[in-house]
Amino acid sequence: MDRSSIRHQARYALTHPDRILPHLRRVARDTWLRLRTHDHVGYYRAVMKSDAARSPEAAVGSKSHKRWMAMGQMQFEYLVEHGLQPEHRMLEIGCGNLRAGHWFIAYLEPGHYHGLDISPDILMAAQDTLTTYKLQDRLPYLTPVRDLRLAFLPDGHFDVVHAHSVFSHSPLEVIDECLAHVGRVLKADGWFDFTFDRTDGKEHQVLREDFYYRTETLVAMADRHGLDAVFMTDWEHLPHKQSKIRVTRRC
């Protein structure tokens, strides 16, 4: 399904007339931000600034607090079931306002969680989450970044790297940059889990905010950077629209 096609958009508008006005607002914002920003990171930082000003929870894709809690818990429980231990050091790329992060921070040993985000505004909301859940003594690191080269982080430091709903909002050059550098910060037996919007047809994007990729495209990209990639089939059974890939350093 190509969600960027006029045919799809027309059919969607006929079946969801209540969403026409919000979509037109997104089109107007997209046009305005295209004129004011020079690259995708700058563009999406501006998107997050706009969304976070209205609702930090909605800015990370949750329409209600109940949904925000459920989505964070789902991510947390999945990683624990798949090997995350309290003594592990974890890097979360695109940590947002700690929808999943507050679960990880409470579970991991103090100082073992490091969250990154391109949006300073959403990281301010993350500080509020720490206060709300009384997690200050867990000493998490929250860092704004300009890119995903991870140059300021040490070699072989993290057992687990996690990126939920990051590549679904990223063009291929941003994903390629991350995959080119994430192996350096992973321990030899560490892993990197990321979600993405999957299509079995033509790869496409909608308003530079939502990107749809074929699994084989991302697997091949990981391979070029010396990473082995596995499609996580059991994730597909959970109540989420995205798919998940796990990559590990090649021995």
Side-chain angles (χ1 to χ4, degrees), residues 17-231:
D18 58 312
R19 299 185 185 178
I20 294 176
L21 186 57
H23 180 74
L24 291 176
R25 291 196 188 104
R26 283 185 64 189
V27 171
R29 182 177 70 176
D30 173 73
T31 302
W32 173 246
L33 293 181
R34 281 176 185 264
L35 297 173
R36 291 174 58 87
T37 56
H38 303 291
D39 59 19
H40 182 75
V41 170
Y43 171 85
Y44 206 73
R45 183 180 288 125
V47 168
M48 291 300 293
K49 181 179 181 68
S50 172
D51 288 347
R54 291 195 297 272
S55 167
E57 292 186 356
V60 297
S62 299
K63 296 181 180 180
S64 68
H65 182 68
K66 181 179 180 181
R67 181 64 174 166
W68 185 85
M69 286 292 292
M71 288 301 301
Q73 184 175 4
M74 182 183 72
Q75 296 171 56
F76 167 71
E77 291 179 347
Y78 185 86
L79 280 193
V80 171
E81 291 170 3
H82 287 73
L84 181 67
Q85 299 292 323
E87 66 272 16
H88 282 166
R89 296 187 183 274
M90 179 178 185
L91 173 66
E92 185 167 28
I93 298 172
C95 65
N97 71 330
L98 302 180
R99 176 173 62 176
H102 80 276
W103 294 90
F104 294 129
I105 292 166
Y107 174 75
L108 296 170
E109 293 179 3
H112 281 213
Y113 176 90
H114 201 139
L116 311 179
D117 208 286
I118 64 169
S119 170
D121 297 273
I122 205 67
L123 287 178
M124 293 297 179
Q127 293 179 2
D128 294 336
T129 300
L130 290 177
T131 303
T132 298
Y133 290 92
K134 303 186 186 313
L135 295 169
Q136 298 95 324
D137 63 344
R138 309 304 292 176
L139 299 174
Y141 298 91
L142 300 175
T143 306
V145 293
R146 293 186 299 266
D147 54 50
L148 296 183
R149 291 182 296 116
L150 312 175
F152 67 99
L153 295 171
D155 292 359
H157 186 71
F158 296 102
D159 300 277
V160 178
V161 180
H162 181 244
H164 184 91
S165 293
V166 175
F167 290 176
S168 53
H169 301 299
S170 301
L172 280 176
E173 61 267 22
V174 172
I175 299 174
D176 187 63
E177 178 179 76
C178 183
L179 292 174
H181 297 282
V182 71
R184 181 186 64 80
V185 303
L186 274 174
K187 291 184 178 181
D189 58 350
W191 72 86
F192 171 34
D193 276 15
F194 64 82
T195 64
F196 67 104
D197 281 328
R198 180 168 58 90
T199 179
D200 294 324
K202 178 184 176 183
E203 296 182 331
H204 60 282
Q205 57 87 17
V206 179
L207 296 178
R208 293 203 300 173
E209 292 184 36
D210 301 302
F211 292 78
Y212 296 83
Y213 297 113
R214 296 173 65 88
T215 302
E216 52 265 37
T217 296
L218 302 183
V219 169
M221 184 176 288
D223 179 70
R224 289 197 297 273
H225 294 297
L227 301 168
D228 292 322
V230 176
F231 184 80

